[in-house]
Amino acid sequence: MTVINEDAGVASAGQGSEGVETPFQRFVSDFTESKIAVVSAFVVLAIVFIAVFAPLIAPTDPYDLSIVTVADKTMAPGAVMQSGQIAHMGTDGSGRDLLSGMIYGLRISLGIGIGSAVVALAIGVVVGLIAAYAGGRVDSVIMRLVDMQLSFPAILIALVLLVTLGKGVDKTLFALIVVQWAYYARTVRGSALVERRKEYIESAQCLALSKARILYRHLFPNVLAPLIVVGTMQTAHAIALEATLSFLGIGMEQTEPSLGSLISNGFQYIHSGHYWISIFPGLALLFTIVSINLVGDRLRDVLNPRLAK
Amino acid sequence: MTVFIIRRLMQAAVVVFFMSFLVFSGVFVIGDPVDILISDEADEEDRERAIAALGLDKPFHIQYLRFLGKALQGDLGESFIFEEPALLLILERMPATMELALFALLLAVVLGIPLGMWAGLKPDSVAAKSIMTGSILGFSLPTFWVGIMMMMLFAVMLGWLPSTGRGETSEIFGLEVSFTSWDGIRHLLMPAINLSLFKLALVIRLSRAGTKEVIHQDYIKFARAKGVSRNRIILVHVLKNIMIPVVTVIGLEFGGLVAFSIVTETVFAWPGMGKLLIDSIGLLDRPVIVAYLTIIVFLFVIINLVVDILYSILDPRVRLQEMKA
Amino acid sequence: MSKFTRIGLAAVAATMVSGAAMADSAKLGIRSEPSSMDPYFHNLGPNNAMLGQIFGRLVDWGPKMDGLIPRLATSWKAINDTTWEFKLRKGVKFHDGSDFTADDFIFSFKRADGYTGGNSSFRTYTKGKSVKKIDDFTVHIVTEKPYPLMPNDMTSIMVISSDVKGSGGSANMGLKAKDFNNGTATIGTGPYKFVKWRKGDSLVLEKYDGYKGPLAQPWDKMTFKFIKSEPARTAALLAGDVDMIDNVPTSDIGALSKDKRVSLSSGVSNRVIYLHMDQFRDKSPFVTDKSGNPLDKNPLKDARVRKAISMMINRDEIVDKVMEGVAIKAGQLLPEGFFGRSEKMRPQEYDPSGAKKLLAAAGWGDGFGLTIHGPNDRYINDARICEAVAQMLTRNGIPTKVVTMPKNVYFKRASKGGPNKSPEFSFVLVGWGSGTGESSSPLKSLLATHDKSKGMGASNRGRHANPMMDEVLLKALATVDDKERGTLLAKATEIGIGEDQGIIPLHYQVNTWATRPGLKYNARADERTVGLDLVKE
């Protein structure tokens, strides 16, 4: 599957600034022009906050089997559980407090999404910079590999890997990293090639600075903008992909479910009248992905000079 | 040109080789199908016979070499479950998947290009903003969840469309198709819409980006100054120019549709090859899994090839020899 | 919206009316697709259920598995210790018009016995037996030792026509699986004829007008649609696309029982869900102390500990909550009505304080840690049952972790994932459906001492071993007299489960079918979905 980088691969060269604003201030003022984007950014922050502090925020520990009991199974939102606590969003098929389950599930989903994106980004940046800077043979071999991988849909590659490796968090994470690194590599290489021909790199070379230093101190900061855009979109994409793989029954184990596996479990209850089991995790997933994507979309508009008005 | 095609095919062969080894060894480690297929009543002797009958008693490298030898002669092995050639099983299911994917592609293009052009021509209108936000939804909503919701709404609550399966089929050129009858179309509609949503969003965004870019170019301004009618500008000049990226991406994405039909087919019980793959994974039917992936890889190579050739026709500046193989 | 809903309901009503007008054809939405139309290809529930409608068997189970009914045989008896005589039905014709005689049965028996390829053969039922033709309508089946289960075994052998021409070759009497799959060889004597199989989608059967035998033919045409996804199957019924679905998920039963568009029928099955415990290793890999460190002693080897665990399990809560009331508490291997049960044994009551005392008496009063392993796509609510058991044990002083996995990974590991192909896990959830319809099959496979050469204890994943029980069981297996055999089987059960607690039975699975109103499915005990059992009310 493709991320929409119909233009993200194109470099955003550092522009000459207008007025006295610093680039960052201008970025902020550009970004906040879209109200939807601002709201989405806040939602994303809130979601990350919830995921990070899940154990403190969640009313109960959904994985503690000494508290969870099937006696609490499929209770409607607002019902009181055996432990005396109120299940604000009801309970799921195993008697877990759904709200707590969702908060912990969000943590897993987001962890996998962001974790895989960050590792893939790191790999992609290194590989992409090497390709751009080394050029020649190295470049063509790397890019052939990248092109080859990108010509296959992510879901297919993830599927092959998970069929090969089996289920589990670590394996899903690994599969998502393998699926994503090539996007970053291509993006970084594209941007870096443009940057490389610029004068400041040439002068750095003339100064006989080490290759690593040039790569790290000079090239890298300048390819950051398109990376941020691709990274945001990829994170959302990875979360959705994990959910889909869990739905197909080849992603995560079900005992400590991610949002995706919660939805997939809830799918079983869709005709039962226990609407909350599938609807709430579905909405949570939806909010997460949509808001990340909206932020990413705005970032692209702001960071990409070609489409700026 | 010939060199180009040969290089591509060699590349495909390498991918297939690598992947078949990966999948072959992976499935070998995970489990063996006899444990799930054999009846509870069978004793150890029966079990061993069944394992031997499938060739699973041999060490891994022998199994793999045997597979390779046969594969080179075009025989991808027999399904453990059906004991029929795996290749045949998949080809049998292929028309259903292709029909679904083509229909979804058609929907994405027919709806996506006009919507995207509109959003590109009047970027500040409410309609444009709704279209763009809608396209983000199209990207964000996981296919399986939308499928379930559609099924609940249109089949169970409203009763407009059948919930699952493929409708009546008839044969055209020896292929079973279902779009020739009303019953068939009714069955096709929901899965096709479900599958197309993602690509629809993609086409909208591509057309919008293309339109926005083209509209400021000199030759459009020139045409306008010359007094060419607005409709003609849009239909001829703009459309023609946004077709290049759209055709490229659509071509490439057709493979994506085929791959993603795995999800849609699972939700809607559509008897295509994607559903066969998921069923085969559940039953560890290794020959079918490997054969499916082999076919898909070749399919992709062919699609990429066709796209590159089309691309060179649409845009004379691109020459095949120069493209990376 | 409300307008649309009304139109929608009208559409549903219209579908139902048209369905009623064409009442002679039935559409059945079923979960599992057969893997072949070849009756000896694969000894698998869906195959045996589907093909039993096309092919005849000498003997068949009644729908409740409480007795045998005559199909192609009209009567059978043991004429001496090692010979069974079957009298065959006269005047029966195959779908192609040819006559059914003893030759067809012998041809079928030989093909089943010598079948090569396929996934699991029917040799289980033909092994050690030889068939003799006495006349066109009498056969003798001879064994070396007395063999009481002969009629039960014959419920598994389907009869094909010896005249059918297949694609040739020397193997399997010249008939290949594909000859059956495309219909050329799919010629039986059953009440329905094969029409078309669209793999992954549907199978069509048509009424056979020349049928002679005890089975009903309620429909002119039956279409089986294969819908694996559970919500999709329910949706298909609610949308009026099919007249009946099988394997109704327990989660939907509550809502469907109130839905006027649907009527439900359910029946207890021959499948018991139980727990197996490692009784053969001194250091068991998934038994730990309470904080998760390995133990050098295995508490599960002590029958008192196993009994205590059984007492900690609240079976009422599992049945009411996890199974939504659709299951029956189990105290032994088969539910009431089946042969070879013990009348003395009852399901263990929930007794946490009794469990504590027993644990203390066994020297494990402080408890220990466990991991329960189970499949998550094999039995009804399997993963949830594992969770519930773990919750109950954790609350009662045995902190238990849960690990569930898909059946394609689980069974290999549970049977032979450990060193030297030993069972990998310490505490597992499994189910067993008795194909012979009585308790010797589970006793032999689950509780008898594991011995590959004798074919005993093949699925004994806890390696329970008690020579006393083995002796009683072996005696039962060689006793032709029903009453005496029943007593022996009951006694073996009392030793294996009652005294040793070799396994912990949890519940018997109950299967549920849902139909349109006006139709009724006569629920079967063998978990099979057979179109003949779908009738108009």
Side-chain angles (χ1 to χ4, degrees), chain A:
Chain A
M1 202 163 55
T2 326
V3 167
I4 335 90
N5 35 16
E6 68 259 40
D7 43 44
V10 178
S12 71
Q15 297 168 286
S17 57
E18 323 150 24
V20 285
E21 286 175 311
T22 66
F24 183 71
Q25 279 169 333
R26 202 186 39 178
F27 163 75
V28 170
S29 73
D30 277 358
F31 187 87
T32 48
E33 244 172 68
S34 160
K35 290 207 180 68
I36 296 183
V38 174
V39 173
S40 307
F42 274 107
V43 174
V44 171
L45 284 180
I47 286 171
V48 171
F49 181 82
I50 292 173
V52 171
F53 296 102
L56 301 176
I57 295 170
T60 65
D61 178 356
Y63 305 145
D64 182 354
L65 290 180
S66 61
I67 311 174
V68 179
T69 160
V70 278
D72 290 335
K73 186 186 179 209
T74 61
M75 292 198 312
V80 180
M81 296 186 289
Q82 301 259 311
S83 60
Q85 267 169 312
I86 297 171
H88 294 284
M89 288 195 174
T91 60
D92 72 1
S94 310
R96 275 187 285 262
D97 174 37
L98 192 60
L99 179 61
S100 310
M102 278 164 56
I103 291 173
Y104 274 75
L106 185 70
R107 188 182 164 98
I108 296 176
S109 290
L110 220 57
I112 288 184
I114 295 177
S116 66
V118 166
V119 177
L121 186 139
I123 298 173
V125 166
V126 171
V127 173
L129 283 180
I130 290 174
Y133 198 81
R137 253 268 164 77
V138 179
D139 182 34
S140 78
V141 168
I142 290 179
M143 288 325 286
R144 188 164 294 176
L145 202 68
V146 166
D147 280 337
M148 214 157 75
Q149 187 180 331
L150 288 182
S151 66
F152 294 98
I155 188 166
L156 208 64
I157 298 172
L159 204 115
V160 169
L161 287 173
L162 288 173
V163 167
T164 309
L165 301 170
K167 287 172 110 177
V169 180
D170 46 343
K171 287 152 191 158
T172 310
L173 196 65
F174 175 74
L176 290 178
I177 292 170
V178 172
V179 161
Q180 295 180 76
W181 72 274
Y183 290 107
Y184 297 105
R186 190 177 61 177
T187 308
V188 170
R189 175 183 171 271
S191 309
L193 275 186
V194 176
E195 294 297 316
R196 207 168 84 107
R197 296 196 196 98
K198 295 224 168 114
E199 286 164 8
Y200 69 98
I201 299 286
E202 274 172 25
S203 45
Q205 276 167 334
C206 290
L207 287 171
L209 294 179
S210 78
K211 274 191 179 180
R213 193 179 157 87
I214 296 177
L215 280 176
Y216 177 69
R217 293 295 295 272
H218 299 280
L219 265 179
F220 180 62
N222 282 292
V223 298
L224 207 58
L227 266 186
I228 291 172
V229 175
V230 176
T232 320
M233 298 297 216
Q234 278 296 344
T235 305
H237 181 54
I239 295 173
L241 190 58
E242 183 275 316
T244 304
L245 291 168
S246 294
F247 172 77
L248 291 176
I250 48 174
M252 309 277 290
E253 297 284 2
Q254 301 201 335
T255 24
E256 295 190 352
S258 66
L259 274 185
S261 9
L262 275 178
I263 299 174
S264 166
N265 287 349
F267 187 27
Q268 305 298 325
Y269 286 91
I270 204 138
H271 297 292
S272 66
H274 308 313
Y275 64 92
W276 56 92
I277 303 177
S278 55
I279 299 291
F280 288 155
L283 290 178
L285 182 75
L286 215 64
F287 267 106
T288 310
I289 300 176
V290 172
S291 49
I292 297 179
N293 271 336
L294 283 170
V295 169
D297 198 46
R298 186 67 198 157
L299 282 177
R300 195 209 349 257
D301 284 353
V302 173
L303 293 174
N304 190 333
R306 263 211 318 173
L307 284 181
K309 313 167 274 188

Side-chain angles (χ1 to χ4, degrees), chain C residues 265-442:
Chain C
S265 46
S266 61
V268 63
S269 75
N270 57 347
R271 189 178 299 280
V272 62
I273 304 294
Y274 65 92
L275 302 167
H276 241 144
M277 292 147 291
D278 182 348
Q279 294 157 52
F280 70 108
R281 277 177 289 217
D282 287 323
K283 275 170 111 170
S284 196
F286 293 94
V287 182
T288 59
D289 68 10
K290 281 181 116 168
S291 42
N293 304 314
L295 277 180
D296 36 343
K297 253 178 89 185
N298 177 5
L300 296 176
K301 285 184 100 173
D302 190 325
R304 288 173 295 185
V305 175
R306 301 197 292 268
K307 281 204 167 79
I309 291 178
S310 180
M311 287 173 175
M312 288 178 194
I313 294 169
N314 188 342
R315 290 175 178 73
D316 288 311
E317 201 165 270
I318 290 181
V319 168
D320 289 348
K321 290 292 178 176
V322 182
M323 308 303 289
E324 314 253 354
V326 196
I328 290 169
K329 286 193 287 176
Q332 51 184 309
L333 296 162
L334 281 166
E336 249 172 90
F338 283 86
F339 184 82
R341 289 177 89 245
S342 158
E343 289 310 315
K344 288 181 203 153
M345 296 181 58
R346 300 268 167 273
Q348 174 66 48
E349 291 299 324
Y350 181 50
D351 182 5
S353 58
K356 260 199 189 96
K357 274 180 216 150
L358 257 183
L359 265 192
W364 291 96
D366 292 336
F368 53 92
L370 268 180
T371 300
I372 182 168
H373 287 87
N376 56 28
D377 55 357
R378 176 64 187 89
Y379 313 109
I380 304 176
N381 299 336
D382 38 18
R384 294 233 157 81
I385 302 166
C386 292
E387 278 180 346
V389 168
Q391 290 168 7
M392 291 161 186
L393 297 191
T394 304
R395 275 204 302 277
N396 287 301
I398 303 182
T400 306
K401 295 196 194 80
V402 187
V403 178
T404 63
M405 53 195 93
K407 59 176 186 268
N408 59 12
V409 182
Y410 174 75
F411 282 103
K412 180 179 183 180
R413 292 179 63 184
S415 307
K416 53 180 185 209
N420 303 322
K421 296 201 166 185
S422 63
E424 181 179 341
F425 307 130
S426 302
F427 186 48
V428 294
L429 178 121
V430 206
W432 184 271
S434 168
T436 54
E438 39 79 84
S439 62
S440 77
S441 127

Side-chain angles (χ1 to χ4, degrees), chain B residues 203-223:
Chain B
V203 173
I204 288 178
R205 300 182 77 85
L206 281 173
S207 319
R208 168 182 172 261
T211 309
K212 273 177 88 173
E213 206 171 302
V214 167
I215 207 108
H216 295 299
Q217 307 250 330
D218 291 342
Y219 70 94
I220 298 284
K221 287 178 188 156
F222 185 68

